[in-house]
């Protein structure tokens, strides 16, 4: 009987902790950052907030899933940029590989802002420990979605969320 009571108690404690973690993740204020873009200009997140949803994509040139994801995010950006959507692609390439970022972006003709985070300052603030890592922020600066990794089709959920945020 004590064993059953203990298991039941552990179950309910686990459920409440999981629910609490889920609640904490959603609608949390997005940490601000100020990073340099590939053209040498500073971009600060807080100055971008308020215009519409912002998708932050942490990526690196050495990460194959990141490069596949960026192709899809570029399509989404092209579709919704004139409606208030912003994409900030944050390269986490280190000092050893950061020189590859600008040539890669230019070769693909991507026209969204690409920021450099070679010391992982912004990545640490967002707990982006593995690439790719996606964060979606609403126009009020709240984190409404985050996702680690990329599999073909993940961009469909992201696009659906962006459309929902644009309609609000």
């Amino acid at each position: 009987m004590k064993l059953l009571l203990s298991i039941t108690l552990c179950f309910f404690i686990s459920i409440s902790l999981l629910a609490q973690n889920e609640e904490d993740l959603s609608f949390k204020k997005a940490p601000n950052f100020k990073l340099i873009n590939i053209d040498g200009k500073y971009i600060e997140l807080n100055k971008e907030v308020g215009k519409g949803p912002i998708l932050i994509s942490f990526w690196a040139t050495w990460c194959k899933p990141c490069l596949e994801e960026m192709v899809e995010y570029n399509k989404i950006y092209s579709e919704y940029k004139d409606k208030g959507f912003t994409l900030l692609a944050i390269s986490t390439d280190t000092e050893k590989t950061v020189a590859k970022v600008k040539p890669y972006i230019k070769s693909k003709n991507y026209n969204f802002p690409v920021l450099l985070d070679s010391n992982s300052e912004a990545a640490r603030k967002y707990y982006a420990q593995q690439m790719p890592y996606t964060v979606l922020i609403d126009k009020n600066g709240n984190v409404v979605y985050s996702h680690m990794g990329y599999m073909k089709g993940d961009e469909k959920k992201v696009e659906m969320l962006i459309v929902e945020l644009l309609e609000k």
Side-chain angles (χ1 to χ4, degrees), residues 8 15 42 79 121 142 145 147 162:
T8 305
I15 296 246
Y42 280 97
E79 177 76 22
E121 176 188 330
N142 298 311
Y145 173 80
H147 181 77
I162 290 167

Side-chain angles (χ1 to χ4, degrees), residues 2 9 11 25 34 37 39 44 46 59 61 69 80 97 108 112 119 134-135 138 140 154 161:
K2 285 183 181 180
L9 184 62
F11 174 76
L25 185 75
K34 185 176 183 180
N37 70 11
D39 296 320
E44 185 173 358
N46 283 350
W59 68 286
T61 56
E69 181 181 65
Y80 301 104
T97 58
K108 296 295 183 180
F112 48 78
N119 66 0
T134 298
V135 178
D138 67 12
N140 298 315
D154 286 348
L161 292 169

Side-chain angles (χ1 to χ4, degrees), residues 100-115:
K100 297 177 181 178
V101 175
K102 187 172 182 175
Y104 175 76
I105 295 300
K106 297 295 181 193
S107 75
K108 296 295 183 180
N109 292 317
Y110 292 150
N111 58 2
F112 48 78
V114 177
L115 312 178

Side-chain angles (χ1 to χ4, degrees), residues 1-18:
M1 190 62 158
K2 285 183 181 180
L3 179 63
L4 182 60
L5 183 61
S6 295
I7 291 172
T8 305
L9 184 62
C10 286
F11 174 76
F12 283 112
I13 289 172
S14 296
I15 296 246
S16 69
L17 287 174
L18 284 173

Side-chain angles (χ1 to χ4, degrees), residues 35-36 38 56-64 66-67 69-70 88-102 105 114-134:
L35 296 172
I36 198 163
I38 59 173
I56 299 174
S57 176
F58 290 94
W59 68 286
T61 56
W62 48 261
C63 169
K64 188 174 184 336
C66 298
L67 304 182
E69 181 181 65
M70 286 184 59
L88 298 176
I90 300 178
S91 167
T92 58
D93 282 85
T94 64
E95 293 298 327
K96 292 179 183 178
T97 58
V98 74
K100 297 177 181 178
V101 175
K102 187 172 182 175
I105 295 300
V114 177
L115 312 178
L116 304 175
D117 190 25
S118 54
N119 66 0
S120 297
E121 176 188 330
R124 276 192 300 277
K125 289 181 179 183
Y126 284 85
Y127 304 101
Q129 299 169 354
Q130 292 181 359
M131 301 306 120
Y133 186 71
T134 298

